[in-house]
Amino acid sequence: MFNDPVDVIPSVGEKTKEQLELLDITKVGDLLFHFPFRYDHFELKPINEIKHEEVATIQGQVASVPTVSYFGRKKSRLTCTLQVGVVAIKAVFFNQAFLKDKLQKGETVTVTGKWDMHRLQITVQQLHTKSFDDEQTIQPVYHTKGNISTKQIKNLVSYALKSSLDEVEEMLPKKYLAEYKLPSRRQAIKELHQPSSKTALKHAKRRFIFEELFIFQLKMQWIKEHNRKESYGLPKMFEEEKIKEFIDGLGFTLTNSQNRVLEEIIFDLRSPYRMNRLLQGDVGSGKTVVAAIALYATYLSGQQGALMVPTEILAEQHEASLKDLFGDLLTVELLTGSIKGKKRQERLERIRQGEVDLVVGTHALIQEDTIFQNLGLVIVDEQHRFGVAQRKSLRDKGLNPDVLFMTATPIPRTLSITTFGDMDVSIIDELPKGRQPIETYWVKENMIERVHQFMVSEIRNGHQVYVICPLIEESDQLDIQNAVDVYEELQDTLPNDIKVGLMHGRLNPQEKDEVMRDFASNDIQVLVSTTVVEVGVNVPNATLMVIYDAERFGLAQLHQLRGRVGRGSHQSYCILLADPKGDTGKERMRVMTETNDGFTLSEHDLQIRGPGDFFGKKQSGLPEFKVANIVDDYRALEVARRDANEVVQHNLLMNDPEYKLLRHMIESDPKIQERIFD
Ligand code: ADP
Ligand code: MG
């Protein structure tokens, strides 16, 4: 019956069928995989073992006729005496007067509620059915929608277990069941719905955690392998010696991390496989230099390179610094939306003719009619702003370059191997020597005057200041008002010769550019901004960042913002203005003041906010697991990843009959088709 529609179940009519559809349950078999999202453990406890204010389940005999008193308009209080062993206690039910008839004197009842040790009183949350003794003490709780009750779902699941469980096939090879002592798929499904004991339930969960993570990792690695095989690029050929010379000319020595990732990248460039690599490194860790070396290698092998960034101003900054870096070695040109008309036509023509070696621009660069003569490498900065779609659009243009994504958001390892499991990942995890760590302080908002004084003193030393006002997601109107208020307040309080600028999302691109340019040239000393301060903007003379309502930001974001200062040789500071109410808020502020390490912070962020919120809702790209949780189950994730890798490397999906079901599952997943390049 597994594949039959749910309405073959006698109790399911048209209405119920529709309601079940809301839960994505259309087939009888779907019920089996509608797992409970939590369990209530109702274990009877002797009164003398229950702690004060603990929620517990007790059984007793109704020893008095219950009384109901009403107060207020709709509020009621039902009380009766329960004889529990030798103790008489009082049971109180709020707003459940209708239960009066169920409490017949002399009957035995079971209740769950909060225990008050001093008054010998239980405030009842749940009155159990008479058959409590026959039920399991671990009660599954299901997600429901519409007006389907948990009880109805339980009954339907029970029907499905009886009729269809036998049709469920094992997916995992025996090897893993034996090695990790996992119950069979059927057994685990049964236990998840009707747990026989806490231990059995734990193992059932363990099995599905592994199954989910393993299948997920198989998919990712299968995509990776597939794309690698399908994507022969041109192997790049260049002289090692020339690269060395270039590095020697930089004026500093590369850090060990930079050298390591460079080796990884160069290996990819030389191989016939198309590179699909993510480069992670904290702000200022020297990613751009590594990118430049890779672009140089591409040039040496006679191919063109492109550097794609999220905004025009960043594109201009990169163009300037790359021109600086390369001098006469190669030709760098800018291509953005505001380069128009004849100039644009000329530039496009030169790119097409191969007269331009390196093009820097916004993503218009690959989406519009730019034709390259011989595009060998695309580097995408701040990749989280570009989606899978953009990766694919490159391919759709018939281009087959190596691609390197760069991000300054340190991504915790668990997230990195889930979200980017189909890519190779390189990490720069150290900063160049001699960097002065940014000093971070957390102050209460009533200290604002002191903060103003500090701003003035930094400015008198010739430096500049960023002031960040938080983004209020529900309303960018309010958000902007907030920034305007701070802007006006600063104009009023700071000495007149100090120029204050304002930047927010409602400004048009030209206005934004103008403000940024004024700040970059120190015509503005204080820049008040919402979080639109562009990632990657480089104003080395800015030494102080003040963040209003800092508790509203995630740690990763605070760190990202903080990275705007500390870019020059001067000591820099970050001041967090915050009055967090809760302990986690305080903890986060404390962590910020104690570490400058982006990875440490991102791990904290993940712990505090959970995987769903880490990247922000829209672009999380995270898979949804039913049982597994990548934060709590990171060990299982590592194990699953290792196992999946082995399977893919040995091509077991294709060769071993035991993997047939897994293979089928992977091949039929539509999401996988999206990620595959063909
Ligand atoms: P990122 O792109 O990771 O934010 P950049 O590549 O822009 O970092 O580097 C930040 C600054 O540090 C640049 O001015 C760069 O020239 C300098 N830099 C990069 N690598 C080193 C190094 N190994 N030693 C000293 N300075 C470096
Ligand atoms: Mg950068």
Side-chain angles (χ1 to χ4, degrees):
M1 271 180 88
F2 189 96
N3 284 311
D4 288 353
V6 273
D7 54 0
V8 301
I9 303 175
S11 67
V12 176
E14 197 53 38
K15 275 230 177 79
T16 315
K17 186 181 170 184
E18 277 169 25
Q19 305 271 319
L20 287 170
E21 227 165 276
L22 299 175
L23 296 163
D24 281 330
I25 298 169
T26 54
K27 296 181 304 180
V28 175
D30 294 338
L31 283 161
L32 297 179
F33 292 93
H34 186 67
F35 296 146
F37 75 99
R38 75 175 163 85
Y39 297 84
D40 284 332
H41 295 252
F42 298 120
E43 265 174 302
L44 288 181
K45 253 192 173 175
I47 291 276
N48 57 3
E49 284 177 20
I50 308 174
K51 293 190 199 78
H52 184 55
E53 304 224 301
E54 182 183 336
V55 174
T57 303
I58 56 173
Q59 216 166 46
Q61 211 174 28
V62 180
S64 70
V65 177
T67 58
V68 181
S69 51
Y70 290 90
F71 52 101
R73 264 176 157 254
K74 286 185 182 150
K75 294 179 183 154
S76 70
R77 179 185 150 103
L78 167 69
T79 41
C80 77
T81 312
L82 288 184
Q83 187 68 36
V84 183
V86 294
V87 193
I89 69 160
K90 199 191 244 182
V92 185
F93 303 71
F94 285 102
N95 308 323
Q96 298 175 80
F98 56 88
L99 290 177
K100 185 168 190 255
D101 297 339
K102 299 213 167 168
L103 298 166
Q104 298 293 335
K105 195 172 165 187
E107 284 208 32
T108 299
V109 294
T110 314
V111 293
T112 297
K114 197 184 221 179
W115 177 238
D116 183 329
M117 196 168 86
H118 309 301
R119 299 156 97 172
L120 294 181
Q121 176 176 314
I122 188 163
T123 305
V124 178
Q125 296 162 353
Q126 188 172 350
L127 172 67
H128 296 278
T129 54
K130 286 195 185 134
S131 56
F132 178 81
D133 290 340
D134 305 330
E135 292 173 6
Q136 300 115 338
T137 55
I138 309 173
Q139 292 290 338
V141 184
Y142 293 93
H143 275 301
T144 65
K145 274 189 186 152
N147 30 23
I148 285 209
S149 66
T150 284
K151 195 166 166 207
Q152 244 173 316
I153 291 184
K154 263 189 221 175
N155 289 335
L156 293 172
V157 167
S158 167
Y159 188 97
L161 285 169
K162 285 199 195 93
S163 66
S164 320
L165 187 62
D166 289 350
E167 292 171 62
V168 170
E169 291 186 73
E170 186 53 76
M171 301 218 130
L172 295 178
K174 290 200 189 63
K175 177 184 151 185
Y176 299 113
L177 298 183
E179 188 174 342
Y180 305 134
K181 299 195 171 58
L182 302 173
S184 74
R185 204 153 196 252
R186 286 181 201 167
Q187 228 180 322
I189 291 173
K190 174 106 166 76
E191 282 295 336
L192 283 177
H193 291 294
Q194 300 175 348
S196 58
S197 71
K198 273 189 190 171
T199 324
L201 176 58
K202 195 177 83 192
H203 292 308
K205 282 189 187 162
R206 236 175 16 93
R207 186 227 140 87
F208 271 100
I209 288 170
F210 179 77
E211 178 180 313
E212 284 183 335
L213 296 174
F214 182 61
I215 291 176
F216 175 71
Q217 285 295 334
L218 273 177
K219 288 179 182 173
M220 291 305 244
Q221 303 204 23
W222 191 78
I223 297 172
K224 184 169 160 183
E225 193 61 18
H226 181 94
N227 286 344
R228 212 171 93 96
K229 283 205 192 108
E230 295 296 307
S231 67
Y232 285 90
L234 275 179
K236 295 178 180 48
M237 293 189 281
F238 43 86
E239 287 173 49
E240 195 82 41
E241 211 33 54
K242 288 251 166 77
I243 305 274
K244 280 217 178 83
E245 269 169 38
F246 180 72
I247 295 175
D248 288 343
L250 285 174
F252 48 76
T253 37
L254 297 181
T255 61
N256 291 336
S257 279
Q258 280 173 316
N259 276 321
R260 191 188 58 236
V261 305
L262 195 57
E263 236 168 71
E264 291 163 353
I265 291 168
I266 288 199
F267 179 87
D268 281 358
L269 293 178
R270 285 209 162 113
S271 89
Y273 299 119
R274 206 187 55 107
M275 170 162 70
N276 185 29
R277 187 174 281 281
L278 175 71
L279 173 57
Q280 287 185 49
D282 223 336
V283 261
S285 61
K287 294 181 296 298
T288 311
V289 175
V290 172
I293 299 169
L295 288 164
Y296 184 57
T298 304
Y299 159 75
L300 288 177
S301 66
Q303 299 175 33
Q304 289 168 298
L307 175 62
M308 208 158 75
V309 297
T311 64
E312 298 211 349
I313 177 139
L314 264 176
E316 288 170 26
Q317 279 195 355
H318 271 109
E319 181 213 18
S321 58
L322 288 171
K323 276 189 165 150
D324 233 26
L325 194 63
F326 288 124
D328 297 334
L329 281 178
L330 52 87
T331 337
V332 182
E333 285 287 14
L334 185 69
L335 193 69
T336 61
S338 42
I339 296 168
K340 295 199 173 89
K342 213 171 142 213
K343 203 165 156 194
R344 184 177 192 87
Q345 290 315 314
E346 275 170 16
R347 232 164 250 193
L348 287 173
E349 187 52 29
R350 291 183 59 223
I351 294 168
R352 196 220 299 262
Q353 298 295 337
E355 288 165 30
V356 177
D357 303 311
L358 170 55
V359 189
V360 183
T362 47
H363 67 284
L365 189 139
I366 53 153
Q367 286 183 329
E368 288 173 9
D369 308 333
T370 327
I371 300 170
F372 289 85
Q373 197 204 36
N374 185 6
L375 183 63
L377 171 64
V378 176
I379 298 185
V380 183
D381 201 8
E382 289 313 329
Q383 85 88 32
H384 56 272
R385 293 210 187 180
F386 294 88
V388 176
Q390 273 88 4
R391 300 189 214 176
K392 201 153 169 129
S393 88
L394 260 177
R395 313 279 306 186
D396 293 346
K397 283 188 72 170
L399 296 171
N400 210 13
D402 284 318
V403 183
L404 178 69
F405 298 93
M406 302 202 294
T407 177
T409 309
I411 304 163
R413 180 164 164 79
T414 52
L415 280 190
S416 167
I417 65 182
T418 30
T419 319
F420 304 109
D422 59 337
M423 302 170 84
D424 292 302
V425 178
S426 292
I427 298 176
I428 303 184
D429 52 7
E430 65 186 312
L431 293 180
K433 283 195 198 68
R435 285 278 164 79
Q436 294 194 57
I438 299 162
E439 284 180 24
T440 301
Y441 300 96
W442 164 32
V443 305
K444 300 277 169 65
E445 289 181 357
N446 60 18
M447 302 269 283
I448 189 72
E449 271 177 41
R450 294 271 303 274
V451 175
H452 288 159
Q453 285 164 18
F454 190 53
M455 287 168 71
V456 174
S457 92
E458 279 302 292
I459 292 165
R460 293 296 175 234
N461 285 327
H463 301 314
Q464 288 165 272
V465 182
Y466 286 104
V467 176
I468 307 294
C469 308
L471 191 97
I472 300 161
E473 285 194 21
E474 309 84 65
S475 155
D476 74 334
Q477 189 59 53
L478 264 179
D479 181 21
I480 288 163
Q481 190 52 49
N482 207 6
V484 171
D485 289 347
V486 171
Y487 168 73
E488 285 172 355
E489 180 198 328
L490 287 173
Q491 274 191 322
D492 288 347
T493 42
L494 297 178
N496 281 337
D497 61 314
I498 293 178
K499 293 278 175 301
V500 185
L502 175 64
M503 170 81 119
H504 57 69
R506 288 272 173 95
L507 299 182
N508 68 39
Q510 273 135 13
E511 291 170 321
K512 279 186 199 166
D513 258 25
E514 209 168 297
V515 178
M516 269 330 290
R517 266 179 248 281
D518 286 348
F519 190 58
S521 60
N522 201 359
D523 288 323
I524 288 173
Q525 287 76 48
V526 181
L527 180 64
V528 178
S529 175
T530 54
T531 39
V532 293
V533 170
E534 303 300 353
V535 271
V537 162
N538 196 20
V539 181
N541 193 45
T543 54
L544 171 59
M545 168 156 293
V546 179
I547 304 179
Y548 274 71
D549 296 335
E551 76 274 11
R552 295 191 188 207
F553 294 98
L555 287 173
Q557 204 180 2
L558 286 173
H559 181 64
Q560 190 75 33
L561 288 167
R562 177 167 65 179
R564 298 303 102 214
V565 296
R567 311 203 124 222
S569 52
H570 308 285
Q571 175 62 53
S572 290
Y573 308 89
C574 175
I575 295 180
L576 307 169
L577 277 167
D579 291 313
K581 300 277 177 298
D583 287 343
T584 54
K586 288 176 187 156
E587 168 72 5
R588 280 163 53 212
M589 294 305 115
R590 199 183 54 72
V591 175
M592 275 301 291
T593 61
E594 284 174 6
T595 181
N596 267 303
D597 180 66
F599 279 96
T600 309
L601 286 166
S602 74
E603 291 288 351
H604 266 278
D605 220 15
L606 182 59
Q607 300 292 338
I608 295 171
R609 298 205 297 174
D613 282 340
F614 188 85
F615 293 107
K617 287 196 180 63
K618 279 186 207 117
Q619 45 195 359
S620 86
L622 281 172
E624 281 178 26
F625 297 118
K626 284 185 178 173
V627 186
N629 171 313
I630 57 166
V631 179
D632 299 339
D633 304 321
Y634 69 96
R635 269 178 233 267
L637 180 65
E638 291 283 0
V639 169
R641 178 176 148 88
R642 192 195 58 206
D643 291 340
N645 188 272
E646 208 176 278
V647 171
V648 171
Q649 291 312 315
H650 293 95
N651 210 7
L652 297 177
L653 287 174
M654 296 298 162
N655 301 335
D656 188 332
E658 249 202 307
Y659 289 79
K660 211 177 86 194
L661 271 176
L662 286 170
R663 172 180 162 189
H664 176 72
M665 179 146 199
I666 289 166
E667 284 178 341
S668 63
D669 181 343
K671 288 215 176 105
I672 292 225
Q673 300 307 325
E674 277 169 28
R675 289 230 197 174
I676 282 184
F677 305 131
D678 35 33

